Amino acid sequence: MAQVSSTSSRKLNLKDVVINPANLKCSSLPLFSLRNQYSINFHLSWLGFFVAFLSWFAFAPLIPDVIKKDLKLTSAQVGNSNVVSLCATLVVRMVAGPLVDRFGPRKVMATLLILGAIPSGLAGTVSTANGLYVVRFFIGILGGTFVACQAWTTAFFDTNVVGTANALAGGWGNSGGGFTFIIMIALFNKLVADGLTPHVAWRASFALVPVPVLLSVAAATLVFGTDHPAGRWSDRHQAIAAELGGTIKEDQEHASSYESKKDAEKKDGSAEVEVTVAAVQDFSSYNVSKLDVAVSRPLNGRVAYDVVFNPLTWLPALAYLTTFGYELAIDANLANVLYNLMKSPSFGQTKAGYIAGIYGFLNIVTRPLGGYWGDLIYKKFGVPGKKYLLIAFGVVQGALSLGLGFYIDNHHEPSLTVIIVLFVILAIVNEAANGVNFSLVPHCNPCSNGFMTGIVGGMGNLGGIMFALIFRLQPAPAGKAFVTCGIIAMVCPAN
């Protein structure tokens, strides 16, 4: 097959994809194929983030009842354990960003999954509140997989689809939070039905699901994944067909010679895979921008200074603090809130967990929808369009949280149906905002994408800690917590 960069001698195995010859990134979304590196790496990126939730959020559905009783925890200790878990992820995300820029997202993803599997296997040894804090802190390492996930898709997909690609990977990965509620509760109930005591059943659940799955996906990432469209992460500079100081003519000539090179390779038998007609776009009018040829730089003092003091860094970072931070707090606390609000002989831990799982499960659709809207508005209004769409979603999210909080506080016996309807609408807006955010991130500091992603992801966790503390400090029934979170969500991004 014809090589797609004048600076690279590597032949690529591509089929049914559209590539940008300036950077080798994919300008289409080949979701339903595993015949090219773009599809394979896309699916590995979201799968790594997805399985991280199987351990990272495994405590949430079981802690309101069985774990709380087994370890004799107070409500304050349950809240503390949620905060501890988020603190660990905050640290890891900040560290993971520079590591991605240095070693590439594939290796960072696999390493985090392997490291996270160790404390997951030790979860069953917990017998005290302090032991729970320690285990949940180290399991929080898995939250750093988000940084690798988003940096990986950004490295492989071009600006016209990167928002949708990031949002799909992030949304499908985030849906792991919802699936975890279903999987862990169902597994726990099955083990109890098979004769195990609750004391043993919840501990066995961690060994049976998270550990083998984490290690299997880590192995698949190392075996089947690739670092960059150019091949190895160290070869990423070779993907650039035109430097900023170069000429567009080089790209035009290169793009127009695709078919002739392909025919020549067919004759001499050196072609690896025949490329479909759709594999090459007409780039005769293509304008090479800084974003197109940006390559991740290893972190140093100058790079850190440029990123940290760039105002473009902090709009998505502050917005993510109030959107994903809010989502993390809801995922960690919603089952407990519903359990305390509706507790009755017909409403226990299982029902509360399944209903709370809806919030994370909706990410399958909602976050990708936000990324798609971001790419759509980008075509007409450019980067400012994404910015104002993100702010609008944040304000609406805050208003909905206020409404949910006021409803809970003003009804002695709130309707479960009304609460579910309100938090489903809230989830759609909240998670779509996360998708819009990471359609904006690749445009900010493109030469430090890992570091940038780490900062924004870390701010999301800082928001999770902040909102989790609000739920921790507010007494039941938690209406005031929703009101306080709503006010913050409305004010912070607008500033």
Side-chain angles (χ1 to χ4, degrees):
M1 175 188 154
Q3 65 186 65
V4 292
S5 171
S6 58
T7 59
S8 174
S9 60
R10 180 178 177 271
K11 294 179 181 179
L12 302 176
N13 286 321
L14 301 175
K15 194 161 186 173
D16 300 325
V17 296
V18 181
I19 55 175
N20 178 345
N23 53 26
L24 303 189
K25 291 186 178 184
C26 189
S27 297
S28 59
L29 281 173
L31 301 180
F32 305 107
S33 169
L34 292 177
R35 294 180 295 181
N36 61 80
Q37 62 172 342
Y38 300 96
S39 301
I40 292 171
N41 290 299
F42 170 81
H43 288 298
L44 286 173
S45 70
W46 74 260
L47 186 60
F49 186 36
F50 178 94
V51 300
F53 280 94
L54 294 179
S55 179
W56 188 25
F57 276 28
F59 281 97
L62 301 177
I63 207 167
D65 186 18
V66 61
I67 296 178
K68 184 177 181 181
K69 289 178 180 177
D70 188 44
L71 300 183
K72 299 179 175 58
L73 302 174
T74 65
S75 295
Q77 288 171 326
V78 170
N80 291 341
S81 73
N82 291 334
V83 173
V84 165
S85 175
L86 294 173
C87 285
T89 304
L90 168 62
V91 174
V92 172
R93 286 188 173 184
M94 291 295 189
V95 173
L99 290 177
V100 164
D101 286 333
R102 177 66 180 84
F103 299 105
R106 180 181 68 96
K107 293 176 182 176
V108 173
M109 173 70 82
T111 301
L112 290 174
L113 292 175
I114 293 169
L115 291 176
I118 298 172
S120 300
L122 295 174
T125 65
V126 172
S127 59
T128 65
N130 288 335
L132 178 66
Y133 297 158
V134 172
V135 166
R136 292 200 72 180
F137 179 86
F138 286 104
I139 287 177
I141 289 171
L142 291 164
T145 55
F146 172 74
V147 176
C149 168
Q150 297 294 277
W152 207 353
T153 48
T154 299
F156 275 84
F157 291 92
D158 208 15
T159 52
N160 65 311
V161 295
V162 70
T164 306
N166 281 356
L168 279 167
W172 292 357
N174 253 1
S175 70
F179 279 103
T180 297
F181 277 78
I182 297 170
I183 292 169
M184 294 302 289
I185 289 174
L187 179 59
F188 170 79
N189 289 340
K190 179 67 168 60
L191 293 174
V192 171
D194 288 345
L196 294 183
T197 65
H199 171 81
V200 176
W202 78 261
R203 300 167 188 274
S205 299
F206 279 85
L208 291 173
V209 174
V211 176
V213 173
L214 290 170
L215 294 176
S216 297
V217 174
T221 297
L222 292 173
V223 173
F224 300 110
T226 49
D227 292 336
H228 190 273
R232 294 176 300 179
W233 188 248
S234 58
D235 294 334
R236 63 193 182 279
H237 295 277
Q238 298 179 24
I240 306 305
E243 300 294 339
L244 285 176
T247 64
I248 299 175
K249 181 179 179 181
E250 180 184 349
D251 277 340
Q252 294 172 343
E253 292 175 349
H254 175 67
S256 65
S257 66
Y258 272 32
E259 292 301 321
S260 61
K261 287 184 179 180
K262 183 181 72 175
D263 292 340
E265 287 187 343
K266 281 183 180 179
K267 291 178 181 178
D268 66 19
S270 61
E272 292 180 16
V273 174
E274 183 176 345
V275 185
T276 62
V277 175
V280 180
Q281 278 185 327
D282 177 12
F283 284 92
S284 58
S285 61
Y286 184 77
N287 291 318
V288 178
S289 68
K290 182 178 179 181
L291 184 59
D292 292 311
V293 296
V295 175
S296 293
R297 301 170 295 178
L299 185 67
N300 57 39
R302 177 59 186 271
V303 171
Y305 180 89
D306 290 343
V307 172
V308 170
F309 289 94
N310 185 351
L312 293 175
T313 300
W314 297 105
L315 170 64
L318 290 175
Y320 210 57
L321 179 142
T322 59
T323 57
F324 187 67
Y326 185 88
E327 182 183 348
L328 283 176
I330 295 299
D331 282 336
N333 289 279
L334 187 55
N336 199 43
V337 169
L338 292 174
Y339 180 77
N340 290 326
L341 274 176
M342 303 293 171
K343 186 177 180 180
S344 69
S346 61
F347 193 97
Q349 172 183 269
T350 298
K351 195 168 185 179
Y354 281 149
I355 294 173
I358 295 172
Y359 204 97
F361 187 77
L362 284 170
N363 270 293
I364 294 175
V365 176
T366 52
R367 187 160 182 154
L369 194 60
Y372 172 74
W373 284 335
D375 284 340
L376 201 63
I377 203 168
Y378 175 71
K379 293 177 182 177
K380 187 171 183 179
F381 299 104
V383 175
K386 292 185 177 183
K387 178 179 71 172
Y388 291 115
L389 181 62
L390 177 59
I391 292 172
F393 271 123
V395 172
V396 175
Q397 171 196 315
L400 288 167
S401 185
L402 281 171
L404 179 59
F406 284 137
Y407 176 77
I408 292 174
D409 273 349
N410 290 304
H411 291 78
H412 178 66
E413 294 184 356
S415 165
L416 179 61
T417 301
V418 173
I419 290 176
I420 290 174
V421 169
L422 285 174
F423 86 66
V424 165
I425 298 172
L426 174 58
I428 292 170
V429 175
N430 172 222
E431 292 160 8
N434 293 331
V436 175
N437 198 313
F438 269 87
S439 75
L440 177 62
V441 166
H443 299 276
C444 310
N445 305 299
C447 290
S448 299
N449 180 60
F451 187 37
M452 177 69 189
T453 302
I455 290 175
V456 177
M459 288 295 286
N461 264 83
L462 180 61
I465 295 168
M466 179 177 69
F467 290 128
L469 284 171
I470 291 171
F471 278 93
R472 156 75 174 78
L473 298 173
Q474 290 289 350
K480 289 184 175 61
F482 284 105
V483 170
T484 304
C485 293
I487 293 171
I488 295 172
M490 291 179 72
V491 172
C492 192
N495 288 336

